[in-house]
Amino acid sequence: MRPAAVIKVMGLVLIAAFVGSWAAPAAAQEDCLAQCIEQYDQDKVACDNQLAARLAELDLEAQACLDNNPTDPIAAGLCLRNVNIKRYNARSDWRRCVSFANTAAYNCYRACQVSPSQP
């Protein structure tokens, strides 16, 4: 082979190797990101279900407050106040749960990134 042909062939081989080295990590990164998204969705649904279950319990408790104090509006109001405090705490727990899900998703996303310092 002539030297010019050898250089062309070697150039094509190097280009193919370079493109191949970028294709595999990109596909792996997309799979990793899809797993992160799926995990976040599962975590968020679990948080939502936990909140819905707790609010359903508190709705029953609020109805019991009204049923147990039909003639005493002050006692019913105090009981409902305590239920509303529990509702606020349940929503605070939900926000904390979603925050943990966001943090876990972000850490997963960062683990998927390919950088010069992380092969």
Side-chain angles (χ1 to χ4, degrees):
M1 276 177 113
R2 294 183 308 166
V6 172
I7 291 173
K8 284 182 182 178
V9 170
M10 290 300 292
L12 291 174
V13 169
L14 288 174
I15 289 173
F18 182 73
V19 169
S21 70
W22 280 96
Q29 184 178 7
E30 289 177 13
D31 292 341
C32 183
L33 292 177
Q35 290 173 354
C36 293
I37 291 168
E38 182 178 333
Q39 184 62 44
Y40 172 76
D41 291 340
Q42 291 173 358
D43 292 346
K44 180 129 179 0
V45 166
C47 293
D48 293 342
N49 290 341
Q50 181 182 0
L51 176 65
R54 182 66 178 137
L55 290 178
E57 292 172 8
L58 293 173
D59 287 342
L60 294 174
E61 192 174 327
Q63 188 59 42
C65 288
L66 296 175
D67 292 343
N68 294 337
N69 300 303
T71 59
D72 190 5
I74 294 175
L78 290 174
C79 183
L80 287 175
R81 178 183 64 106
N82 291 335
V83 171
N84 287 334
I85 290 171
K86 291 177 185 177
R87 285 182 178 147
Y88 177 82
N89 289 336
R91 287 188 183 95
S92 178
D93 291 341
W94 175 81
R95 283 190 299 274
R96 188 177 303 110
C97 181
V98 170
S99 177
F100 284 136
N102 284 338
T103 301
Y106 179 69
N107 289 339
C108 180
Y109 168 76
R110 286 188 51 192
C112 292
Q113 299 300 312
V114 176
S115 68
S117 63
Q118 177 185 356

